[in-house]
Amino acid sequence: MTSSGHCIEAGLTVRDAMKEIDNVTPKIVFLVVGKKLAASLTDGDVRRFLLKGGQLTDPALDAANHHPLTAANRQEAEELYHRRNYVAIPIVRQNGEIVDIYLGEDNSEQFEALSIPVVMNAGGRGTRLEPYTKILPKPLIPVGELPIAEHIMRRFEAFGCCQFSIIVNYKKELIKAYFADSEQKYDITWYDEETPLGTGGGLCYLKGKLNGTFFFTNCDNLLLSNYASILRFHRESHNVITMICAYKNFVIPYGVVHMGLDGAIESMQEKPELSYLTNTGIYLVEPEVLEDIEDGVPIGFPDILEKQRAKGRKVAVYPVSENEWLDMGQLEELERMRKRLYGE
């Protein structure tokens, strides 16, 4: 399989290169000057660059690999591709021009089996989705053919994460009834909140029930990232909590003026784009965190994270691109999520 859609201009910023990476599979682009290969850039390269303090406004070349593996012809590309776990081999002339990119014969997404448990907080009232949630609990709000909770669970199952613990409260009998009648049988253990315990307090029911790393997720966020890469980062960093955060980009639809003393104009930007790291509500967590959660006391999970930081335990962010995170917690996001999942 070959593709020319993986080539982008070398002069782009990291932010713009991330958008290009989001549009291709596998997640790699080749930076070119004219037609000549300058470097390669993967989502992993971008993540490492940002974790080391790089900025989205920096040149993409600063984050790139300037010595990518290349081949002189298709036969050599095929041999190199199958010799090791490469995802793309550019075919390059002697003058440095890219003539094609070999992506292998099967470019379907492959998932590594992780086999770690998943805890889902599904107890909230979903006030941001009213009036829908006055009839259905948030986990059962449909996105296309399936409710959001089932989309989330199927994504985890694709990575071999098939053991689910679900914390429920509001309209809990409807949620349980749906999964009891589902043709798709899931391995679910239910935990009933007696009173609302916030986004983190319900984890007190899991004390002593988990003996290893687990995913913790809200019931309205779908993450399309590689879960194996997140788990690898979590373990290699020796974190007790890894918060998965997405870059959200906003374009200010006006010219922005920065004013100095006496009204002097220091600088002007026409429709600048701003980026912020936002909490997706999805985490990797070590079981010792549960022991510090008080029984029956409402608390948000970000507050739990802050308490772990105060104890000197290591917590960290795993950044993902905006397009890897689908949040249906607001009405205007429901249609975006449906289109992304079903391509309509």
Side-chain angles (χ1 to χ4, degrees):
M1 182 176 182
T2 58
S3 171
S4 59
H6 288 256
C7 292
I8 66 173
E9 289 297 323
L12 293 180
T13 65
V14 171
R15 180 194 288 123
D16 291 333
M18 285 178 68
K19 295 176 183 177
E20 298 296 330
I21 292 171
D22 281 338
N23 292 329
V24 295
T25 301
K27 300 299 182 185
I28 184 172
V29 293
F30 295 93
L31 307 181
V32 297
V33 178
K35 294 182 179 180
K36 293 186 177 182
L37 175 64
S40 65
L41 186 68
T42 67
D43 54 346
D45 292 328
V46 171
R47 186 172 300 110
R48 286 186 290 271
F49 177 73
L50 296 172
L51 288 169
K52 291 179 179 178
Q55 302 298 315
L56 291 175
T57 52
D58 290 339
L61 279 170
D62 289 355
N65 170 20
H66 290 258
H67 303 284
L69 185 71
T70 64
N73 52 58
R74 182 183 174 89
Q75 180 180 349
E76 183 182 353
E78 290 180 7
E79 292 174 355
L80 289 170
Y81 182 93
H82 295 291
R83 189 182 305 167
R84 288 180 57 188
N85 189 28
Y86 295 112
V87 297
I89 305 291
I91 299 172
V92 179
R93 292 195 177 110
Q94 285 187 344
N95 65 357
E97 290 187 1
I98 292 183
V99 294
D100 211 340
I101 301 169
Y102 182 74
L103 303 175
E105 301 304 324
D106 179 13
N107 198 33
S108 59
E109 194 171 10
Q110 302 295 319
F111 299 126
E112 180 181 339
L114 306 180
S115 301
I116 66 171
V118 178
V119 180
M120 181 186 295
N121 180 23
R125 297 182 65 88
T127 54
R128 292 188 301 166
L129 289 174
E130 289 181 350
Y132 297 158
T133 48
K134 289 189 177 294
I135 302 168
L136 285 174
K138 181 166 59 174
L140 298 187
I141 297 294
V143 181
E145 299 173 359
L146 297 172
I148 179 57
E150 195 163 6
H151 279 294
I152 294 169
M153 294 165 74
R154 289 192 176 191
R155 180 69 180 180
F156 277 112
E157 285 200 327
F159 283 90
C161 301
C162 302
Q163 178 189 343
F164 297 94
S165 297
I166 303 182
I167 303 164
V168 290
N169 186 332
Y170 179 67
K171 296 185 181 291
K172 60 187 177 185
E173 298 308 327
L174 280 178
I175 302 171
K176 292 180 181 180
Y178 171 84
F179 284 100
D181 292 339
S182 174
E183 294 181 1
Q184 179 83 14
K185 298 304 178 183
Y186 297 96
D187 179 3
I188 301 174
T189 302
W190 299 99
Y191 293 90
D192 294 357
E193 280 186 345
E194 299 303 321
T195 58
L197 295 177
T199 58
L203 285 170
C204 68
Y205 300 117
L206 279 295
K207 290 181 184 179
K209 306 293 176 60
L210 301 171
N211 55 17
T213 308
F214 63 93
F215 279 100
F216 180 50
T217 180
N218 291 333
C219 65
D220 54 7
N221 296 289
L222 183 61
L223 190 68
L224 301 179
S225 304
N226 186 323
Y227 293 0
S229 296
I230 302 170
L231 180 60
R232 192 175 305 115
F233 169 81
H234 175 80
R235 287 177 169 165
E236 289 177 354
S237 302
H238 305 289
N239 301 331
V240 294
I241 299 174
T242 295
M243 172 191 284
I244 301 163
C245 293
Y247 281 99
K248 293 289 286 185
N249 301 307
F250 303 92
V251 176
I252 306 298
Y254 310 103
V256 173
V257 178
H258 299 276
M259 184 177 69
L261 292 175
D262 300 322
I265 296 175
E266 292 189 344
S267 65
M268 295 186 293
Q269 291 176 282
E270 186 64 25
K271 298 181 180 179
E273 185 171 2
L274 305 179
S275 300
Y276 300 94
L277 265 180
T278 55
N279 183 6
T280 65
I282 305 167
Y283 311 84
L284 272 167
V285 187
E286 293 302 312
E288 57 261 36
V289 172
L290 303 178
E291 302 306 315
D292 294 330
I293 300 174
E294 296 182 66
D295 294 343
V297 176
I299 188 171
F301 194 79
D303 295 320
I304 292 173
L305 185 148
E306 284 294 337
K307 288 186 175 183
Q308 295 298 307
R309 288 184 62 206
K311 293 185 70 169
R313 290 178 172 173
K314 190 171 181 183
V315 300
V317 165
Y318 184 92
V320 300
S321 74
E322 184 174 21
N323 283 347
E324 291 179 79
W325 175 43
L326 300 178
D327 170 28
M328 55 82 69
Q330 301 184 62
L331 290 174
E332 59 267 25
E333 293 294 322
L334 275 172
E335 182 63 9
R336 174 178 172 264
M337 179 180 279
R338 186 189 67 79
K339 289 182 177 179
R340 181 72 189 277
L341 292 174
Y342 292 93
E344 299 173 8

